[in-house]
Amino acid sequence: MTLFGTAGIRGDVRERLTPELALAVGRAAGTDAVDQDGQPVEFVIARDGRETGPALAAALEAGLESAGATVRRAGVLPTPALAFASRGRRGVMVTASHNPPTDNGLKLFENGEEYGDDAEARIEERVEEDGSPTAWHEWGDTERIGPLTGYRDRIADYAAGHGAALDGMEIVVDCGNGMASRATPQVLRALGADVVALNANVDGHFPARGSKPTPETLGDLQVFLDDSDDGDGAAANETDGPTLGIAHDGDADRVVFLDETGEIVHEDTIVAILAEHYTRASDADDPVVVTTPNASSRIDERVAAAGGRVERVRLGALHVGIAAVREAGDADTSVVFAAEPWKHIHTALGPWIDGVASAAVFSRLVAGRSLAALREPIAERPYRKVSVDCPDDRKDAVMERLATTLPEAFPDAAVETEHGVRLDLDEGWVLVRPSGTEPKVRVYAESEQVEELRERAVATVETAVED
């Protein structure tokens, strides 16, 4: 497919995700849904706070209605709230997530779950066919709905079943002018936390920081979490300072956690903590955690210690991995959690990625044991991720060559080639995979000797690209 990427359709609103494309996708999605269900269907539409959202949502709505679908306008929502609202029907979220404000995007859902590859391929084919509207008397209609309160209540109720009460716990949340402003502070307060909300006004220009939370953009949050007073009066002391920091991307499906000193906790450590918790909490004989090939072995170690196992699936396809595990398993198999870096599916809650739910559940785990205690059993080995330039038209040939040359460079490694080339060694692991969004090959490594592994892997990749 050329239209859909690993997270829906995204791009610049003047060059790629134009109103014309939104109209075409809406008509294609509506026509496809009617054909699949054999009768008119209902779509719920929401958007994030980007300046281009209203126009694109209007074009999308026109396309859906002209195909015979009924539209429910849900307004400005976090993406997980739209997914929640799409249960029992279909949904489209107008968002570019963590992309810059010049971009926007479309993400499609059915019954709370992102469209799979087959459904996206059908939509793409229909867009290319440029079908006509349905008969005038079969066009759909629209009405407004308000699912946000119900979503926040559901997340609070779900999180209350994990960890301990947040009574008086001080948490700082950097909403980044994004959609977390509408959900995370409210949910945490409902759970009893004392919340400081930073950049909590929705603004599609993202004036406070970039919509992707990174070490370079989280300075405001780190100030509030820094133990030492730097003279501006904003820092907290050790006795009464915040316990936890949380940051979200533009649509609140991603989440980043910081400790009380302002240090970002590694994303795989967060996954390991949540995965171990859900595995221990499960009463299934075969609890399974689904993650991606670039995920740290620390996840496998903590899940195994809790009596479970880990299965991996390609990036952007957690729902595919969940379905595969369920199909291959039996009555004793249960997928208890699924995650890739910064993005988590709480399977007992629903099939969608939910940064707000992660913020609530993880905060309650910290309240129960402290972040230091949760991290203590985890082997946090050095981890590196680098990229090697590689033209898109060379990627297949490069990866084919690396399937031979990487094992030769690491002769003691166990080799797995289902999702790139992964090498497991006594001292750590290396993964090499082509980027799905850029002309690059990604190299991941984790080991106490991570620089040595990284250098050997990068040199091998560079040679393959040059050859």
Side-chain angles (χ1 to χ4, degrees):
M1 293 185 289
T2 59
L3 187 59
F4 286 87
T6 57
I9 307 169
R10 290 184 194 169
D12 185 281
V13 296
R14 299 184 66 187
E15 298 176 358
R16 179 168 171 79
L17 193 64
T18 62
E20 291 82 1
L21 179 60
L23 175 68
V25 171
R27 183 173 297 154
T31 303
D32 180 74
V34 171
D35 287 351
Q36 292 293 312
D37 293 357
Q39 57 186 358
V41 295
E42 188 173 296
F43 277 80
V44 56
I45 293 177
R47 62 180 178 86
D48 67 15
R50 293 166 192 266
E51 294 295 309
T52 56
L56 292 173
L60 176 69
E61 179 181 327
L64 287 166
E65 290 188 18
S66 70
T70 297
V71 173
R72 300 291 179 253
R73 298 177 187 165
V76 180
L77 293 179
T79 292
L82 178 279
F84 170 83
S86 75
R87 295 170 305 158
R89 51 191 169 187
R90 302 188 185 222
V92 187
M93 182 69 190
V94 182
T95 180
S97 189
H98 59 278
N99 282 31
T102 53
D103 288 3
N104 217 320
L106 302 173
K107 185 177 288 189
L108 286 77
F109 293 85
E110 181 178 7
N111 197 26
E113 185 173 329
E114 293 180 35
Y115 271 30
D117 291 344
D118 291 344
E120 290 180 343
R122 292 197 307 269
I123 303 305
E124 187 158 327
E125 182 177 353
R126 290 181 184 275
V127 169
E128 292 172 354
E129 291 172 352
D130 193 23
S132 301
T134 190
W136 65 268
H137 61 282
E138 295 177 352
W139 285 29
D141 59 11
T142 184
E143 69 176 46
R144 296 185 182 274
I145 61 172
L148 183 57
T149 298
Y151 167 74
R152 293 193 305 222
D153 290 345
R154 177 68 184 106
I155 299 304
D157 289 344
Y158 174 78
H162 303 272
L166 301 183
D167 297 345
M169 178 175 168
E170 187 173 350
I171 303 172
V172 185
V173 182
D174 182 353
C175 302
N177 301 124
M179 297 319 305
S181 307
R182 300 288 177 91
T184 299
Q186 294 86 346
V187 168
L188 294 176
R189 287 173 182 141
L191 291 169
D194 181 5
V195 179
V196 176
L198 305 180
N199 308 315
N201 60 313
V202 177
D203 189 326
H205 294 269
F206 302 108
R209 62 166 172 83
S211 56
K212 182 176 182 178
T214 67
E216 295 75 28
T217 64
L218 295 178
D220 287 351
L221 179 54
Q222 290 173 322
V223 166
F224 273 81
L225 292 166
D226 190 350
D227 282 349
S228 61
D229 190 341
D230 61 6
D232 64 2
N237 61 46
E238 293 183 1
T239 59
D240 60 3
T243 302
L244 187 66
I246 299 172
H248 288 285
D249 63 343
D251 67 333
D253 62 350
R254 295 185 177 215
V255 63
V256 175
F257 293 96
L258 295 82
D259 67 15
E260 70 279 3
T261 71
E263 175 193 356
I264 295 175
V265 183
H266 194 279
E267 61 267 30
D268 286 337
T269 293
I270 300 298
V271 173
I273 291 170
L274 288 167
E276 179 177 3
H277 165 72
Y278 279 117
T279 303
R280 292 193 186 281
S282 174
D283 57 5
D285 291 336
D286 180 26
V288 181
V289 171
V290 174
T291 189
T292 49
N294 58 323
S296 167
S297 57
R298 68 190 72 172
I299 300 167
D300 304 69
E301 292 163 2
R302 297 319 306 161
V303 170
R309 62 186 174 93
V310 171
E311 293 290 339
R312 283 180 164 78
V313 69
R314 61 182 170 83
L315 281 162
L318 290 175
H319 55 294
V320 175
I322 293 170
V325 170
R326 288 172 174 165
E327 182 177 354
D330 54 29
D332 296 324
T333 301
S334 176
V335 179
V336 297
F337 185 59
E340 59 184 71
W342 315 119
K343 299 163 71 172
H344 312 143
I345 297 177
H346 304 261
T347 51
L349 172 67
W352 59 85
I353 294 166
D354 199 321
V356 180
S358 295
V361 171
F362 193 80
S363 294
R364 284 183 59 93
L365 296 183
V366 171
R369 293 188 55 198
S370 85
L371 181 53
L374 292 170
R375 294 177 71 173
E376 191 276 330
I378 298 173
E380 297 187 85
R381 303 176 188 89
Y383 181 99
R384 298 289 184 272
K385 172 186 171 182
V386 295
S387 299
V388 176
D389 291 337
C390 177
D392 287 331
D393 60 1
R394 292 193 207 172
K395 285 179 179 176
D396 288 345
V398 166
M399 293 307 303
E400 182 178 354
R401 183 177 182 101
L402 289 172
T404 299
T405 58
L406 277 169
E408 290 173 350
F410 296 87
D412 297 328
V415 181
E416 188 271 318
T417 58
E418 185 176 1
H419 307 293
V421 181
R422 182 175 170 118
L423 309 162
D424 286 293
L425 304 104
D426 290 340
E427 64 270 30
W429 60 271
V430 175
L431 170 71
V432 177
R433 53 172 289 272
S435 169
T437 57
E438 296 181 282
K440 298 179 184 295
V441 171
R442 310 291 193 200
V443 179
Y444 309 81
E446 182 181 44
S447 172
E448 294 295 343
Q449 296 83 42
V450 69
E451 294 302 336
E452 177 188 347
L453 292 185
R454 179 190 62 79
E455 290 175 5
R456 289 165 62 190
V458 168
T460 306
V461 172
E462 290 175 340
T463 298
V465 173
E466 291 169 2
D467 290 348

